[in-house]
């Protein structure tokens, strides 16, 4: 296993490998989750009783939320592994499990052939993916934050969401391409399997790339200073000692994850399945919004390296709180271009937060508990708030109560703004 010696400054080659290795694996995580959200309207009746279309879709989205519920467990298991045995090992195991879950969905039998067993297979696959992805993000973002130059950490860690958005973009383009080539009927019959199988195969490639990564200097230095076998409960004790930082992670993440899921997963799903807008046009509109989002991320990260993390976070939270209702009205106007414009504006504001969230979270915790301290509260917030967003938004919209969801989102954004105002400025903080 390649390692870096204590005192070693990561070379440009090591940093490039870090960007590629973490980026591809992280992109696959986001690809998996987005593929599920995008293709849910097409495969819902393949795993649940097709007699009730809305019930099948809601059941499919409920499993989407249940998969998120496994993320805190995965964050703790893989985070503890990363903090005790190394970030690299945790990243290898998480990508392996995530790929297995994707392949299981792509090759699963349908409700028509095995009945409720199909629903069970879908559930188990999502639980495996949820646990794996609960460990993927904190391990990869901690790794990248520790290997990045401190004065450019905001820009470097924006690569987490750049790669994630690229994964979503690939999923969206794949959905639009399959819809254009084969049509809705073929997608419902067999086309939905294609992106899941592709995700599993790409995971094998990502695993190969990650085997070449070196461990971070910060981790090696910590273990050289305190011995190769940290005390068994050191991670749990470290989390308790840093409980205020964990609370800040939850406070910031709640509004961010609801906003992100609402505009990248729930909005196009609702437009296709409930509003009945053309699926290809909706997916292409999301492609444009994601491309602009990807371009904005490194710029927002660089801005935080110059001016601090707090301005970025406040622009996001307060800006989206003010624009939430106007954007909702724009998205519900009944035209695809209006939906696309609303998604683009929402994602531009979201980029202010997404670009630097990994840097902020890493800067809040000491090395020996950084992955677990970042991952567990983040996963809890994502499970409670982000994972339930597509289901909650679709259910409320089906009862003509979308305004309640928007008010809920605004309240969480304001909580996040308060957390930022009362928390420390962490720009360029040493991570060793």
């Amino acid at each position: 296993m390649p390692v870096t010696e204590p005192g070693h400054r990561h070379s440009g080659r090591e940093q490039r490998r870090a960007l590629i290795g973490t980026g591809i694996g992280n992109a696959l995580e986001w690809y998996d989750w987005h593929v599920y959200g995008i293709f849910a309207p097409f495969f819902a009746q393949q795993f649940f009783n097709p007699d009730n279309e809305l019930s099948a879709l809601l059941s499919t989205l409920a499993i989407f939320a249940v998969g998120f519920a496994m993320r805190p467990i995965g964050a703790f298991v893989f985070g503890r592994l990363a903090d005790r045995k190394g970030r690299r090992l945790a990243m290898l195991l998480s990508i392996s499990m995530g790929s297995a879950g994707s392949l299981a969905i792509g090759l699963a039998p349908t409700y028509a052939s095995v009945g409720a067993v199909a629903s069970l297979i879908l559930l188990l696959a999502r639980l495996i993916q949820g646990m794996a992805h609960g460990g993927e993000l904190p391990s990869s973002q901690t790794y990248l934050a520790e290997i990045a130059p401190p004065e450019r950490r905001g820009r470097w860690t924006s690569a987490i969401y750049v790669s994630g958005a690229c994964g979503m973009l690939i999923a969206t383009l794949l959905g639009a391409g399959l819809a254009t080539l084969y049509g809705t009927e073929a997608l419902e019959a067999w086309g939905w399997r294609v992106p899941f199988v592709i995700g599993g195969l790409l995971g094998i490639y990502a695993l190969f790339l990650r085997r070449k990564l070196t461990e971070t200097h910060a981790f090696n230095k910590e273990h050289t200073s305190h011995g190769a076998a940290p005390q068994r409960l050191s991670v749990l004790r470290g989390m308790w000692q840093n409980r205020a930082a964990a609370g800040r992670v939850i406070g910031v993440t709640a509004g961010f994850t609801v906003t992100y899921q609402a505009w990248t997963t729930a909005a196009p799903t609702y437009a296709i399945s409930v509003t009945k807008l053309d699926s290809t046009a909706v997916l292409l509109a999301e492609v444009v919004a994601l491309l602009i989002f990807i371009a904005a991320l490194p710029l927002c990260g660089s801005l935080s390296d110059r001016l601090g993390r707090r301005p970025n976070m406040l622009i996001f939270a307060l800006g989206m709180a003010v624009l939430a209702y106007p954007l909702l009205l724009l998205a519900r106007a009944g035209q695809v271009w209006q939906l696309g414009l609303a998604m683009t504006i929402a994602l531009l504001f979201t980029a202010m937060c997404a670009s630097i969230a990994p840097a902020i979270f890493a800067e809040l915790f000491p090395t020996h508990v950084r992955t677990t301290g970042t991952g567990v509260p983040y996963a809890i917030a994502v499970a409670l708030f982000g994972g339930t967003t597509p289901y909650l938004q679709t259910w409320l919209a089906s009862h003509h109560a979308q305004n309640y969801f928007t008010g809920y989102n605004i309240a969480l954004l304001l909580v996040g703004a308060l957390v930022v105002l009362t928390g420390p400025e962490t720009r360029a903080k040493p991570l060793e």
Side-chain angles (χ1 to χ4, degrees), residues 265-280:
T265 299
T269 299
Y270 177 86
I272 293 170
S273 61
V274 179
T275 308
K276 302 300 182 181
L277 292 178
D278 179 71
S279 60
T280 302

Side-chain angles (χ1 to χ4, degrees), residues 37-112:
I38 286 177
F39 285 86
F42 303 114
F43 68 75
Q45 297 179 66
Q46 299 293 334
F47 288 98
F48 295 95
N49 191 336
D51 293 338
N52 189 326
E53 183 178 344
L54 179 59
S55 176
L57 177 60
L58 289 174
S59 297
T60 305
L61 294 178
I63 287 185
F64 183 86
V66 170
F68 270 90
M70 286 296 291
R71 294 179 74 104
I73 299 174
F76 179 77
V77 171
F78 285 99
R80 193 163 183 264
L81 179 68
D83 286 330
R84 297 186 67 195
K85 301 296 183 180
R87 295 30 170 144
R88 176 181 175 274
L89 176 60
M91 290 164 62
L92 289 172
L93 293 177
S94 66
I95 195 65
S96 300
M97 285 183 61
S99 301
S102 186
L103 283 173
I105 296 174
L107 301 176
T110 65
Y111 186 92

Side-chain angles (χ1 to χ4, degrees), residues 120-355:
L120 180 61
I121 292 173
L122 178 65
L123 174 62
L124 292 176
R126 292 303 292 173
L127 291 176
I128 291 172
Q129 284 188 308
M131 184 171 179
H133 296 329
E136 167 63 31
L137 185 61
S139 299
S140 60
Q141 70 182 19
T142 297
Y143 182 89
L144 194 56
E146 289 181 346
I147 210 168
E151 70 280 2
R152 288 184 287 164
R153 189 179 296 130
R155 180 170 184 173
W156 271 65
T157 57
S158 71
I160 293 293
Y161 280 87
V162 168
S163 62
C166 285
M168 294 175 62
L169 182 62
I170 292 170
T172 305
L173 286 171
L174 188 56
L178 289 172
T180 301
L181 290 174
Y182 300 107
T184 301
E185 185 175 341
L187 284 182
E188 292 176 346
W190 58 267
W192 61 269
R193 295 183 182 275
V194 174
F196 291 105
V197 173
I198 289 175
L201 296 177
L202 288 176
I204 298 173
Y205 177 64
L207 180 65
F208 172 77
L209 290 178
R210 286 189 170 183
R211 290 180 66 250
K212 298 182 179 181
L213 296 180
T214 60
E215 189 52 82
T216 70
H217 171 42
F219 176 82
N220 285 332
K221 182 178 179 180
E222 173 74 17
H223 279 241
T224 299
S225 301
H226 295 89
Q231 294 183 11
R232 185 174 178 80
L233 297 179
S234 61
V235 172
L236 289 173
R237 188 161 51 243
M239 286 187 64
W240 175 251
Q241 292 170 348
N242 292 274
R243 57 191 179 277
R248 292 189 182 97
V249 172
I250 292 175
V252 168
T253 301
F256 163 65
T257 189
V258 169
T259 302
Y260 192 80
Q261 289 294 333
W263 289 104
T264 59
T265 299
T269 299
Y270 177 86
I272 293 170
S273 61
V274 179
T275 308
K276 302 300 182 181
L277 292 178
D278 179 71
S279 60
T280 302
V282 169
L283 294 177
L284 288 176
E286 187 176 9
V287 166
V288 174
L290 285 173
L291 285 172
I292 295 173
F293 177 65
I294 290 169
L297 283 166
L299 300 177
C300 294
S302 296
L303 183 66
S304 79
D305 287 330
R306 297 173 66 89
L307 303 179
R309 315 302 190 207
R310 186 176 288 154
N312 276 41
M313 301 300 287
L314 290 176
I315 290 172
F316 158 69
L318 298 178
M320 280 306 301
V322 170
L323 291 175
Y325 279 111
L327 290 178
L328 174 64
L329 293 174
L330 181 62
R332 295 289 186 264
Q335 298 293 324
V336 172
W337 73 267
Q338 292 168 316
L339 171 66
L341 179 59
M343 286 193 293
T344 299
I345 294 171
L347 287 179
L348 280 173
F349 277 88
T350 302
M352 298 296 290
C353 174
S355 60

